[in-house]
Every structure is written in structure tokens, then in C-alpha cells.
Amino acid sequence: MGFDSAAMAQSAADVRQRIARAAARSGRRAADVTLVAISKTFPAAAIRAAWEAGIRHFGENRVQEWESKRGEVAHLDATWHLVGHLQTNKARRAAGLFDSVDSVDSLDLAHRLDSALREDPHSGQRRLRVLLEIRLAPEERKSGVEPSELEALARGVLLLPRLELAGLMCIPPPAGNPEEMRPFFRRLRELRDTLRASLGVPLPALSMGMSHDFEVAIEEGATEVRLGTALFGSRS
Ligand SMILES: *Cc1c(COP(=O)(O)O)cnc(C)c1O
């Protein structure tokens, strides 16, 4: 399946303009917001077209799907994120296949990622970037750590030498109106600010906002937005 590079260039340009406007509304620069293209369900050709349109961060939500696509695109100079829930029995594979795991939600998982890197002779001194996924609406999802358990998890992760704790991530329950998402995004930023103060580490990354609500997320301080539909069209 081919992917129309002119259409991709256009949607990337549209999205960048919307990011820049949202950043400006909150007194920030477009360069402070990283666009992570979520390529799940789309073929490697779509990733290549997005790369040609200047996108350098990509996210997949399943280890196996990425294993089947990466042969065609892993040589591209890009940062590969895992954004979906990671089962502990796939941690070892994921540690070798991604540059960033944005969905760490347990100390067990963090330990497994850390040991996978320590035990892999080919990993050199590589550290895996991780974000902690927070569950902000308990009834909606099974993944994510409860806010009340966040500090303990973060303290544990900071002790693991091969993980680099960069910040927080959330996937709040979808809402009809993007404005309804604002309290969740604000809460994630406040949790990050509190954690940063109590741990004394920078925690620069806030991964929040998807196609439907990324502008609100940017207004609330997102440094990474995860966009699938807005770039690639709807998933079948
Ligand atoms: C699919 C997915 C996205 C992108 O969703 P869109 O609404 O298509 O932008 C973002 N984050 C995660 C974790 C996803 O699974």
C-alpha cells in the first residue's frame, strides 16, 4: 500500500500550525512541543511518508506490531516510542526495540526493563527513557499508576541505573468536547510539579493530548502530543 506523500506533508503542516497556535496561546514556543506520530495499524510506508514530512518521533502501542514493521523503517533517524500498555512478559523485547517506553506503570515492569538492558551485552551503556503512566480516572482503564502511588513508583525507578525517568503520561477517558479533558491535563501537570519538588529531579516531559484534544493539552503544558488520526486519517 502506498502512502500519498503530498497528503502527508499537508496534514503534517496543518498539525504543526495548530501546535504552534496552541503553544502561542499559552506563552510557549512550538519547539517546546514534540509531535509523536502514532502509527499503530498503519503500514511502514506511512511511517516513511511521515518521516519525509519531517516527523522524527513515532509511537506504537503493541510490541508485536512494531516487530513486524520495524525492519522497513528502523534505519531512519527517529525516536521510537512504545505508548501502549506493556505486559511484564514482553518487557525484555520492548527494551531492545524502543528508545522510550511511555507507559511504565509498575515497579515490576521498570525492574524488568532495567534488567533487560543490564543483561544485554549489545546494549552498551544505553539508558532507556521512560515515562510513568498515571491513571487519572480510575473507573475507565486498567493501566496506569494511581496518583497516590506515583511518588513511591518514581522513587523506585530513580534507583534503576539503566532507566532515565523523563516525566509523566496520561490517557484520560475520551470525551465529546475537548474542553472536558482540561481538568485531567491540568492534574497531570500539577502531579508532575509536586513530584519534581519532592524528588528534586527535572521531569521535563508531559505526554498528553491526542488528535481530538491536543490543543487543550498544549495549553495545559504538554511537551509531547501523540497524534494518530490527525496525521494518518482514521484507523479501520
Ligand atoms: C492510538 C493512540 C493515540 C493516538 O490516538 P488518535 O486519537 O488517533 O490521535 C495516542 N496515544 C495512545 C496511547 C494511543 O494508543
Side-chain angles (χ1 to χ4, degrees), residues 38 40 61 83-84 169 171 210-212 226-229 235:
I38 305 299
K40 66 185 183 201
N61 72 334
V83 300
M169 179 269 222
I171 314 173
M210 316 201 323
S211 293
H212 186 54
R226 306 181 308 266
L227 306 186
T229 317
R235 289 177 291 274

Side-chain angles (χ1 to χ4, degrees), residues 36-40 42 59-61 82-85 102-103 133 141 169-171 207 209-214 225-235:
V36 183
I38 305 299
S39 45
K40 66 185 183 201
F42 291 99
E60 288 281 336
N61 72 334
L82 178 67
V83 300
H85 180 65
D102 299 355
S103 51
E133 181 184 345
R141 291 176 59 84
M169 179 269 222
C170 70
I171 314 173
S207 173
M210 316 201 323
S211 293
H212 186 54
D213 52 26
F214 67 96
V225 291
R226 306 181 308 266
L227 306 186
T229 317
L231 284 166
F232 298 113
S234 43
R235 289 177 291 274

Side-chain angles (χ1 to χ4, degrees), residues 18-96:
R18 290 171 64 188
I19 290 174
R21 289 199 186 120
R25 282 197 294 281
S26 53
R28 301 164 66 220
R29 297 173 309 149
D32 297 337
V33 183
T34 300
L35 167 53
V36 183
I38 305 299
S39 45
K40 66 185 183 201
T41 78
F42 291 99
I47 296 177
R48 205 172 308 113
W51 193 87
E52 280 160 14
I55 292 171
R56 293 293 179 268
H57 287 257
F58 293 89
E60 288 281 336
N61 72 334
R62 292 176 59 232
V63 174
Q64 217 157 334
E65 184 181 341
W66 176 231
E67 278 174 326
S68 74
K69 292 198 271 207
R70 66 184 296 274
E72 295 173 64
V73 289
H75 63 281
L76 297 173
D77 178 17
T79 302
W80 309 103
H81 299 244
L82 178 67
V83 300
H85 180 65
L86 177 58
Q87 290 165 281
T88 49
N89 63 1
K90 294 192 180 135
R92 186 163 297 275
R93 269 152 71 201

